[in-house]
Amino acid sequence: MTIRLTLNGEEREFAAPPMTPLIDVLRDDCHLTGAKPVCREGFCGACMVLVDGIPTVSCLTPIALVEGGKVETVEGLTSADTPPPVQAALEAHDAVQCGMCFPGMVVSLTHLTQPGECDASRAAIKAGLTGHVCRCTGYERIVDAALAVMEGRQ
Amino acid sequence: MSPLSSPAIIVPETLADALASLAELGADGTPLAGGTWIMRAPLRDEPMAHAYVALGRIAELRRIKISAKRVEIGASATHAMLAAALERCDDLAALRNAAAQSANPAIRHAATVGGNLCARRFPAPDLATALLGLDASVEVADAAGSERLTMEAFLAARGALGPGRIVTKVIVERTGHRSAHSRLPLRKAGDYPVAIVSVAVRLDDADRIVEARIAVGSVEGVPRRWTALEEALAGQPIAAVDVAAIARPRADRFTGRDGVEAPGWYRVHVLPVLVGRAFAALTSAAT
Ligand SMILES: Cc1cc2nc3c(=O)[nH]c(=O)nc-3n(C[C@@H](O)[C@@H](O)[C@H](O)COP(=O)(O)OP(=O)(O)OC[C@H]3O[C@@H](n4cnc5c(N)ncnc54)[C@H](O)[C@@H]3O)c2cc1C
Ligand code: FES
């Protein structure tokens, strides 16, 4: 089956069996290895990408269901010179540890920190990050960084 | 090539086309909704189907219609859509909270009502348990026509819908009940609930319980009503009744299933506390 989609702003076309998980096409065909297949069960968030702007677990998304859609991976969430606010805040708060969960965290935080998406409170940010497991258990500094972005003080 | 890669997929735009494709495929065809259950088939050692018919592009299956009398929920509505649509329906708080609290945000955006009702051998469906408490009915259709089943009859036959048949919508009558949904995941959120209690209660003018419907999920293989407790609560004044105390000697009506996250006895043991919490949530909503 030929699948057409916009990947990180570029129109792309793939030939893939329709039930192939999106994560496998991203990593094996596109060599975008930011999203990681860790649990393949929807529980850990390491494979998170944006599909039409919504955080989506790419391990459970058959490629056929994103036909015609817009997919953004962590590799697409960059800017030419300065890092975007989420990445800058994570660095400033020394929140990055082993890196396994981080691409997924950045994807969901990019969505959560859009105006109107999430209250600027620790409880709301934690609820919004449910489904992201950090094996280094560095959650509090991730929440600090998210709050800083939401309050415009990173 | 992974074992997931071989099945074919059909993506119809209308319900009639979907039903025609499923009729043609017969036992080889399976509906595909959000895929959050189907995509994990290999992890459960289950085979993938030969062909999937995706339901996500059929507009009428995604519709949620709300009136003063009833709510009709298209089978392809996601948990996130349902939670948002019911924002002002406090009588259906059980269903709203079931939709808003299950799984995690990304799964709630993908997983559908139809998938929750039809995932075979899934013992912990939040929506199905809430819909059982709310005495919902389920519309099932095939190329020849449609029929309505009570939630109870639907759950009894779950997994045996038969080839070519799909759930098209769920109908909840708004009958003046108050409702609440109480669940116990092992962590605060994000994992499957050890036990679920979803209640719908109608009171008389003196705030006595006229009818209590109490649905229990995740404890046994399929959600079911706790009729012994329902009967014991009828006629009791809601403000004074100690629901957990009445529930305790009646918990042995359930035989808990053992699972990796909890042994069977524990699932039964927490039921009185969970039903107590559900009733406390009801009482506070009423004031
Ligand atoms: C990380 C994670 C956490 C979860 N936590 C919870 C939780 O807390 N509570 C909970 O209830 N669930 C939970 N789930 C289970 C979740 O997969 C189901 O609840 C979900 O609703 C399935 O819907 P789906 O649209 O993804 O179904 P699919 O995977 O697309 O389909 C599931 C089954 O239903 C059938 N089907 C789908 N739609 C129809 C239809 N309209 N008619 C007939 N058959 C149909 C399919 O053929 C398939 O057999 C969780 C899942 C994950 C991955
Ligand atoms: S790999 Fe997709 S959620 Fe864990």
Side-chain angles (χ1 to χ4, degrees):
Chain A
M1 180 174 185
T2 305
I3 312 280
R4 273 170 293 269
L5 50 84
T6 308
L7 178 58
N8 295 333
E10 237 182 85
E11 307 266 318
R12 300 285 296 262
E13 211 175 277
F14 306 96
M19 293 297 280
T20 311
L22 172 60
I23 180 98
D24 292 340
V25 174
L26 294 174
R27 292 177 61 90
D28 300 345
D29 296 3
C30 309
H31 308 296
L32 294 170
T33 55
K36 309 207 185 315
V38 176
C39 70
R40 285 193 185 265
E41 280 208 77
F43 280 107
C44 79
C47 67
M48 201 71 75
V49 300
L50 297 175
V51 175
D52 297 327
I54 301 288
T56 303
V57 284
S58 57
C59 65
L60 299 183
T61 306
I63 183 80
L65 295 193
V66 290
E67 157 76 23
K70 193 172 137 213
V71 176
E72 290 164 281
T73 67
V74 71
E75 289 87 348
L77 304 178
T78 55
S79 55
D81 15 271
T82 48
V86 166
Q87 285 90 322
L90 288 167
E91 190 184 1
H93 287 82
D94 201 11
V96 184
Q97 299 189 61
C98 83
M100 184 63 96
C101 69
F102 255 77
M105 291 273 187
V106 168
V107 168
S108 281
L109 287 172
T110 301
H111 173 76
L112 276 183
T113 54
Q114 301 292 310
E117 274 309 325
C118 177
D119 288 348
S121 74
R122 301 189 82 80
I125 293 167
K126 287 181 182 176
L129 284 178
T130 308
H132 284 275
V133 178
C134 166
R135 287 122 188 110
C136 312
T137 68
Y139 296 106
E140 294 301 328
R141 280 180 286 169
I142 298 169
V143 177
D144 290 340
L147 263 182
V149 176
M150 289 172 169
E151 291 167 356
R153 55 173 175 81
Q154 78 279 359
Chain B
M1 201 180 275
S2 83
L4 284 178
S5 20
S6 35
I9 194 167
I10 296 164
V11 189
E13 304 273 338
T14 67
L15 179 57
D17 286 350
L19 293 173
S21 295
L22 284 164
E24 197 176 314
L25 287 162
D28 283 341
T30 297
L32 168 69
T36 64
W37 183 256
I38 285 175
M39 292 296 279
R40 293 180 293 154
L43 298 170
R44 294 188 298 269
D45 287 327
E46 288 173 11
M48 296 294 280
H50 291 291
Y52 288 97
V53 177
L55 305 178
R57 302 232 161 147
I58 302 169
E60 73 172 279
L61 292 185
R62 291 178 73 82
R63 222 164 276 147
I64 300 175
K65 268 196 260 172
I66 299 180
S67 72
K69 286 198 165 145
R70 68 184 62 85
V71 173
E72 296 186 38
I73 306 156
S76 299
T78 64
H79 287 61
M81 287 165 64
L82 183 57
L86 297 180
E87 198 186 340
R88 279 187 246 280
C89 302
D90 286 341
D91 52 333
L92 305 182
L95 186 58
R96 179 174 67 207
N97 289 335
Q101 293 167 358
S102 72
N104 60 52
I107 299 295
R108 293 197 293 267
H109 269 288
T112 65
V113 175
N116 194 266
L117 296 189
C118 299
R120 291 178 73 173
R121 290 190 286 279
F122 176 39
D126 277 284
L127 296 184
T129 308
L131 289 165
L132 180 64
L134 291 167
D135 202 18
S137 44
V138 183
E139 192 171 280
V140 176
D142 60 19
S146 67
E147 64 168 325
R148 278 197 191 180
L149 304 172
T150 62
M151 256 320 274
E152 233 153 355
F154 175 82
L155 284 173
R158 189 167 57 148
L161 270 188
R165 304 183 83 205
I166 65 166
V167 170
T168 48
K169 63 179 164 185
V170 175
I171 304 103
V172 187
E173 300 293 337
R174 304 180 74 177
T175 44
H177 288 67
R178 294 165 195 190
S179 68
H181 191 77
S182 180
R183 63 202 295 278
L184 180 72
L186 287 179
R187 293 178 293 154
K188 196 163 180 186
D191 47 9
Y192 291 130
V194 164
I196 306 169
V197 176
S198 207
V199 304
V201 174
R202 193 154 56 84
L203 303 178
D204 66 12
D205 292 342
D207 280 350
R208 274 186 309 258
I209 297 170
V210 178
E211 184 191 30
R213 292 192 299 250
I214 304 171
V216 173
S218 195
V219 173
E220 298 181 341
V222 182
R224 72 172 167 96
R225 297 258 298 265
W226 193 348
T227 43
L229 181 57
E230 293 176 356
E231 284 157 15
L233 290 176
Q236 303 272 355
I238 186 96
V241 65
D242 184 345
V243 176
I246 297 175
R248 220 160 275 129
R250 293 171 174 82
D252 63 2
R253 304 303 201 280
F254 290 91
T255 309
R257 68 186 168 94
D258 289 329
V260 277
E261 75 280 26
W265 66 263
Y266 182 68
R267 297 182 200 274
V268 175
H269 189 74
V270 298
L271 284 178
V273 171
L274 279 185
V275 74
R277 282 185 196 167
F279 271 78
L282 278 178
T283 319
S284 55
T287 51

